[in-house]
Amino acid sequence: MKEVWGIYRATEFSPNSVEKDKAIMDAVAQRLQQRGCHVVLLTEGDLTARLTTAAAWPQLVVSMGRRQHTLQLLEQLHAQGVAVVNVPQAVAACSRSGLDRLMRRHHLPAAPMQGDHGYWVKRGDEAAQCKADVVYAANDEALERCKADFARRGVADVVVTAHVVGDLVKFYGVRGTGFFKIFYPGDDGESKFGDEQINGQAHHYPFAVEDMARDAETLAALTGLDIYGGDSIVRADGSHCIIDFNDWPSFSRCREDAADAIARCVLAGLQPSDKS
């Protein structure tokens, strides 16, 4: 029987989403157990103790962890041949500033730097942990105040992009499985910080979903993520730009289908000698 460890995300990285993040890990664990795995579920804080007391390493770790210490421990396991999804290097690559540079270097559709409809100021070193980490500034004066507020909080790494007018579209994907779903948060009212209100009610502009999926899969491959999600803006002309990209979202709008795809993905990620 394959030993699998599942790592829940620390609560500071699940603002307003603790139960949703827990639910997707639980759903994946259920699928893996149904496929003959022995699954041990741990918090990020449990991982150190488990490593020191376990009789043997697991064959697979599925992790939503984002703490630096967690990533360091997972990197050590991965170096010893343990399959890890998402790999820690990929999670570390998902800082906003790193993603912004990566997208522009590879000519993926990022938000423009300048525009006529305000700006977004976002924490660049880590994923957002509170509403103050993602702020809309309506004009240049507000932009300077926002940057000063970040500096007062000790956040020196920020990403500033122009606000893009259009439909906000959330996407969820599992790389290499064909699983890619889109949703309009303005339709269902589900929100983490309420920032979707800036774009308003969706117009449902026609666009090529396959193009968005291709760009998202490309970015996932560039970072090394297998399980990913993000936000795009679809303009009136059908063009899109990716404004957010992150490792292992909650998949709350499509949890059951996502759990099936994630289970297939992580089992395929086992070392060849471990595959049944």
Side-chain angles (χ1 to χ4, degrees), residues 69-260:
H69 185 58
T70 301
L71 298 182
Q72 290 168 1
L73 293 175
L74 293 178
E75 191 167 342
Q76 294 171 17
L77 282 174
H78 194 234
Q80 295 298 316
V82 175
V84 180
V85 181
N86 287 304
V87 292
Q89 299 92 331
V91 177
C94 282
S95 68
R96 289 188 190 274
S97 55
L99 285 168
D100 189 74
R101 290 190 296 268
L102 187 68
M103 289 180 65
R104 297 183 196 283
R105 185 163 64 245
H106 290 272
H107 307 290
L108 289 170
M113 307 298 290
Q114 298 292 328
D116 300 322
H117 303 281
Y119 303 89
W120 286 96
V121 187
K122 302 178 181 181
R123 182 172 188 152
D125 57 341
E126 294 181 333
Q129 299 176 43
C130 63
K131 185 173 177 60
D133 287 341
V134 180
V135 182
Y136 173 71
N139 50 46
D140 290 344
E141 182 179 341
L143 173 61
E144 294 307 313
R145 288 199 302 270
C146 284
K147 291 194 289 188
D149 287 341
F150 274 86
R152 276 192 291 271
R153 292 197 296 123
V155 181
D157 185 355
V158 298
V159 174
V160 178
T161 54
H163 175 70
V164 180
V165 175
D167 290 342
L168 178 63
V169 177
K170 286 193 171 292
F171 60 82
Y172 304 92
V174 182
R175 182 160 62 106
T177 66
F179 179 90
F180 187 83
K181 303 285 187 182
I182 64 164
F183 297 89
Y184 292 84
D187 290 352
D188 60 23
E190 187 174 324
S191 174
K192 183 179 290 187
F193 297 129
D195 293 330
E196 295 87 352
Q197 297 174 8
I198 302 297
N199 284 83
Q201 196 68 31
H203 295 83
H204 295 270
Y205 297 126
F207 74 100
V209 177
E210 60 272 19
D211 289 348
M212 186 182 292
R214 180 200 62 225
D215 291 335
E217 285 278 298
T218 298
L219 187 52
L222 288 170
T223 58
L225 287 182
D226 288 307
I227 305 167
Y228 65 86
D231 297 343
S232 283
I233 301 294
V234 176
R235 303 179 182 91
D237 65 1
S239 64
H240 74 272
C241 63
I242 297 174
I243 61 168
D244 191 22
F245 191 78
N246 51 73
D247 61 288
W248 203 322
S250 66
F251 293 94
S252 58
R253 295 173 172 89
C254 51
R255 183 180 300 128
E256 299 306 313
D257 288 343
D260 291 337

Side-chain angles (χ1 to χ4, degrees), residues 5 28 50 53 61 64 188 201 207 232 267:
W5 293 357
V28 170
R50 185 72 186 187
T53 59
V61 176
M64 299 181 76
D188 60 23
Q201 196 68 31
F207 74 100
S232 283
L267 288 176

